[in-house]
Amino acid sequence: MAPSLELVYFALPGRGETTRVLLALGGIPFKDTHVGFGAEWEGLKPKAPFGQVPYLEVDGTIYAQSSAIERYAASLAGVYPTAPLEQLKVDQLVAFAMEFWEAFMPTMSVPAEEKVKAREAVVLKLQPKFEKLTSIIKAAGSGFLLGKDVSFADVQLYVVMSNMASGFFDGVPKDLLNSYPEVKAHHNKVASLPKIAAYYAAAEGLRLAFKPLA
């Protein structure tokens, strides 16, 4: 019997979106609970195992840490391998995808008037990583990162790039991926998968970037 799942996170995509996408891709029902900032989150915080979100309630038991939750969701969705070496191949690409996201984290604490300049600098520093990513996609030869089928690594990269192109980070141009056509093609390939396209059919705001990019 399928587990009863409730994902708890803020309404924005952020660190909860990869789990949402994986569960949608796997056709796995889940309750997507959005927590408000401020008093609502402070009231819920003691319930969170490590005092943070996202957390996932599975059959009444709460589990935390986004990377652990994502791997569980990827396993349920059938896009995470069972063989240790194949897991290693996926995990190294998941970690590489997250390096793009993590590059922006120091800018979250920068004064508002300096954020744009700080994030423009991050985009420049990411150019070598984009070039490496382009070579990985080209070498795979399928449009995905590994082989002919979508994997957890593809979903993680898709979510990270969507977040970057969404306008969430001031100073990061929404057309950033136009400079990296292979990366943009990868994004659009994942975004066009039927279950993911259906999940974002009514997307608006930041989530417009999770649709195929023009």
Side-chain angles (χ1 to χ4, degrees), residues 6-207:
E6 180 180 3
L7 180 68
V8 178
Y9 190 62
F10 305 116
L12 52 76
R15 289 307 311 273
E17 202 73 0
T18 297
T19 298
R20 291 169 177 143
V21 174
L22 287 165
L23 294 175
L25 179 61
I28 300 162
F30 71 102
K31 182 179 180 182
D32 189 9
T33 298
H34 295 171
V35 180
F37 292 101
E40 184 179 0
W41 164 231
E42 290 302 320
L44 188 65
K45 201 171 185 178
K47 187 178 179 180
F50 300 103
Q52 59 192 25
V53 286
Y55 66 73
L56 183 69
E57 188 166 327
V58 183
D59 292 333
T61 300
I62 295 175
Y63 301 90
Q65 298 297 337
S66 55
S67 60
I69 293 169
E70 289 162 2
R71 280 170 178 77
Y72 173 69
S75 295
L76 291 180
V79 294
Y80 190 62
T82 57
L85 183 58
E86 298 307 309
Q87 291 176 345
L88 178 60
K89 292 176 184 178
V90 169
D91 286 344
Q92 69 173 354
L93 292 173
V94 168
F96 182 56
M98 286 306 298
E99 289 179 5
F100 288 84
W101 172 265
E102 290 161 0
F104 289 97
M105 292 304 98
T107 71
M108 301 299 285
S109 58
V110 169
E113 65 274 14
E114 299 176 17
K115 284 188 187 295
V116 170
K117 186 176 181 179
R119 289 169 178 167
E120 289 173 344
V122 171
V123 170
L124 289 175
K125 289 180 181 179
L126 285 175
Q127 285 182 356
K129 289 187 184 295
F130 272 111
E131 291 166 4
K132 180 61 178 178
L133 180 56
T134 295
S135 70
I136 291 170
I137 296 169
K138 285 182 175 180
S142 63
F144 292 125
L145 295 174
L146 288 166
K148 61 183 178 61
D149 297 317
V150 65
S151 73
F152 171 30
D154 293 296
V155 173
Q156 189 70 284
L157 179 63
Y158 158 73
V159 171
V160 169
M161 293 299 151
S162 297
N163 273 314
M164 288 176 63
S166 70
F168 178 71
F169 294 117
D170 296 337
V172 179
K174 292 184 178 182
D175 63 354
L176 171 65
L177 297 189
N178 286 348
S179 299
Y180 305 99
E182 288 81 8
V183 180
K184 182 177 179 179
H186 175 275
H187 172 280
N188 288 352
K189 187 177 181 70
V190 177
S192 297
L193 293 171
K195 288 181 180 177
I196 293 180
Y199 185 69
Y200 288 109
E204 56 186 20
L206 295 175
R207 288 187 172 85

